[in-house]
Amino acid sequence: MFRNFKMVLNVIFGRGSFAQLEDILLSKHAGAPCAHVYMVDDVFQNTDFSRRIPVRNNDLLLWVNVDDEPKTVYVDSLTQQVRERLKTEPGGLPASVIGMGGGSTLDLAKAVSLMLTNPGSSADYQGWDLIKNPAVYHVAVPTLSGTGAEVSRTTVLTGPVKKLGINSDYTVYDQVVLDPELIAGVPVQQRFYTGMDCYIHCVESLTGTYLNAFSQAYGQKAMDLCREVFLNPGPDSDDKLMMASYFGGMSIAYSQVGICHALCYGLSYVLGVHHGVGNSIVFNHLEEFYPDGVLEFRNMLNRNKVELPRKVVAGIDDARLEKMIDIALTLVPLWENALGSGWENIMTRDKIRALYRQM
Ligand SMILES: NC(=O)c1ccc[n+]([C@@H]2O[C@H](COP(=O)([O-])OP(=O)(O)OC[C@H]3O[C@@H](n4cnc5c(N)ncnc54)[C@H](O)[C@@H]3O)[C@@H](O)[C@H]2O)c1
Ligand SMILES: [Fe+2]
């Protein structure tokens, strides 16, 4: 069976393109009185950017906090806030949900747009194709590049029992606004870690057993762009990083990630380590599996003068380490992509434990 791949419907790209957001929303909802919900990373409160957000009349601006990566309880509470505030709108729904921020904010906005039209808790939908009803029209405005969340069909959430995305065709954004000017102010370390998420997507996709010409075409281009950005930067690096994120996301959408992401999920679930930094910590210990990628990654670390956190796992108790291993082992497609159908014989609990203990 071949997957019928759902893609983002509309994309606008270019420096300054954010200024067209209001026109895009107006043309989409022409004539109808309606409310839009802007979900914006609270790092932008009281900034020049916040004054450019086209909030009008009945619109709702929600500042979202991403100190912790998205949790299902947070999604449920944000959805409830939107419902309460827009009770008087037709159908009780906004016309659109617009997410502005990094991967965490983009995932929160995806999840809220889904939960406004689907009953229950977002935790009920962690898995594959469990969403029944189309989401509210939703728009991504990335302000940090690398995760590919702007193109993917998932929103990664930590729930009461698992860290797993809501994977669904309805999750995919209807509109993406790619304005490289918006990522100019990202702190250097954060830009590097989120950029490495993209680089690692490419390595895992391009070396995986699920690879095909579709994924390869996008993955190779994204990897070349990452090399330019992190080894040979120039004035258009932000433009390139934005496109690398997009293409990296397209590559894994039709293949899969691998060992680094599986181990990172365990690390993040138990220790709360953020995705980009977690992937970087893990990837540095995967020379055995991705020798060329790890070598190049270390060159990028040196070139960008980034020091990885050390001894993150070393001191933790056995129970938490075993939980980390449990979480990592649930990600069967990732292991299968990386190591093939006999992956369980290679990646035993002992092997995973030994890898984690080095980190
Ligand atoms: N849905 C997907 O396909 C997918 C894929 C990979 C990762 N993810 C998720 O993405 C999240 C990680 O996203 P991320 O690495 O983009 O980071 P993030 O969204 O967690 O943000 C990291 C930090 O950067 C700040 N920030 C964002 N934009 C900024 C800007 N322009 N200027 C200054 N600071 C800014 C944020 O406030 C935050 O402090 C994780 O939750 C991960 O699970 C999702
Ligand atoms: Fe990732």
Side-chain angles (χ1 to χ4, degrees):
M1 273 283 278
F2 295 96
R3 210 141 46 77
N4 191 5
F5 179 48
K6 174 81 190 284
M7 293 165 81
V8 170
L9 283 178
N10 284 82
V11 182
I12 182 168
F13 174 84
R15 288 176 176 258
S17 60
F18 176 68
Q20 279 173 246
L21 174 64
E22 188 171 16
D23 287 345
I24 291 170
L25 295 176
L26 277 173
S27 70
K28 177 74 195 163
H29 304 290
C34 55
H36 305 288
V37 174
Y38 294 91
M39 294 177 55
V40 188
D41 188 321
D42 64 8
V43 77
F44 292 111
Q45 275 189 65
N46 305 315
T47 61
D48 288 345
F49 177 67
S50 73
R51 288 179 273 281
R52 294 180 60 206
I53 302 170
V55 182
R56 311 273 180 255
N57 308 322
N58 300 337
D59 295 349
L60 177 59
L61 172 59
L62 285 180
W63 294 110
V64 298
N65 184 273
V66 297
D67 290 347
D68 291 327
E69 290 190 342
K71 292 190 168 60
T72 53
V73 284
Y74 191 35
V75 170
D76 294 348
S77 112
L78 289 167
T79 307
Q80 200 45 40
Q81 280 183 55
V82 175
R83 284 213 178 99
E84 278 296 314
R85 292 280 299 277
L86 299 184
K87 275 195 294 225
T88 52
E89 286 300 309
L93 292 175
S96 14
V97 173
I98 302 110
M100 300 182 181
S104 299
T105 306
L106 298 187
D107 277 0
L108 284 168
K110 281 175 170 180
V112 167
S113 73
L114 288 164
M115 293 316 300
L116 283 168
T117 54
N118 287 274
S121 161
S122 50
D124 304 339
Y125 298 97
Q126 285 181 281
W128 281 269
D129 303 305
L130 302 173
I131 290 280
K132 297 283 182 296
N133 305 314
V136 169
Y137 172 85
H138 48 305
V139 181
V141 183
T143 66
L144 173 59
S145 288
T147 66
E150 64 277 21
V151 287
S152 73
R153 77 189 289 278
T154 191
T155 156
V156 182
L157 300 178
T158 302
V161 286
K162 56 194 168 196
K163 180 169 182 181
L164 184 62
I166 301 181
N167 297 268
S168 141
D169 280 352
Y170 298 129
T171 309
V172 179
Y173 274 108
D174 298 292
Q175 168 79 54
V176 175
V177 177
L178 296 177
D179 183 344
E181 283 179 356
L182 302 185
I183 67 172
V186 179
V188 174
Q189 295 247 342
Q190 184 63 60
R191 181 178 189 272
F192 181 81
Y193 287 131
T194 304
M196 286 306 103
D197 187 22
C198 177
Y199 179 74
I200 295 165
H201 290 161
C202 297
V203 173
E204 294 190 310
S205 175
L206 292 171
T207 58
T209 61
Y210 291 4
L211 189 65
N212 53 69
F214 183 109
S215 290
Q216 195 170 26
Y218 282 110
Q220 268 169 354
K221 187 65 207 176
M223 185 170 249
D224 290 347
L225 289 168
C226 285
R227 286 182 177 135
E228 289 182 50
V229 171
F230 293 107
L231 293 173
N232 192 17
D236 53 357
S237 283
D238 286 345
D239 306 56
K240 289 179 174 167
L241 185 55
M242 231 169 197
M243 287 321 297
S245 175
Y246 196 92
F247 272 44
M250 291 292 286
S251 179
I252 49 174
Y254 218 72
S255 60
Q256 190 43 280
V257 285
I259 299 172
C260 185
H261 274 74
L263 295 178
C264 180
Y265 268 57
L267 196 70
S268 296
Y269 187 89
V270 174
L271 297 179
V273 178
H274 283 219
H275 188 78
V277 65
N279 269 318
S280 297
I281 291 168
V282 173
F283 196 61
N284 196 32
H285 293 278
L286 297 182
E287 209 167 349
E288 180 184 346
F289 301 99
Y290 305 113
D292 298 342
V294 173
L295 200 67
E296 189 165 56
F297 165 76
R298 289 182 187 150
N299 287 339
M300 290 176 176
L301 275 174
N302 290 336
R303 173 77 175 73
N304 293 275
K305 300 186 175 58
V306 173
E307 286 257 358
L308 287 177
R310 299 207 177 264
K311 303 250 177 273
V312 177
V313 182
I316 72 165
D317 59 50
D318 289 348
R320 294 211 297 164
L321 183 57
E322 294 310 308
K323 181 71 189 169
M324 238 181 237
I325 301 170
D326 291 341
I327 297 279
L329 282 171
T330 59
L331 296 150
V332 173
L334 283 63
W335 295 113
E336 202 178 72
N337 175 45
L339 300 168
S341 55
W343 66 269
E344 290 114 319
N345 303 322
I346 304 167
M347 203 47 78
T348 58
R349 285 189 83 87
D350 285 348
K351 178 71 189 171
I352 298 180
R353 197 176 294 112
L355 283 168
Y356 273 139
R357 279 294 184 207
Q358 293 170 23
M359 294 172 197

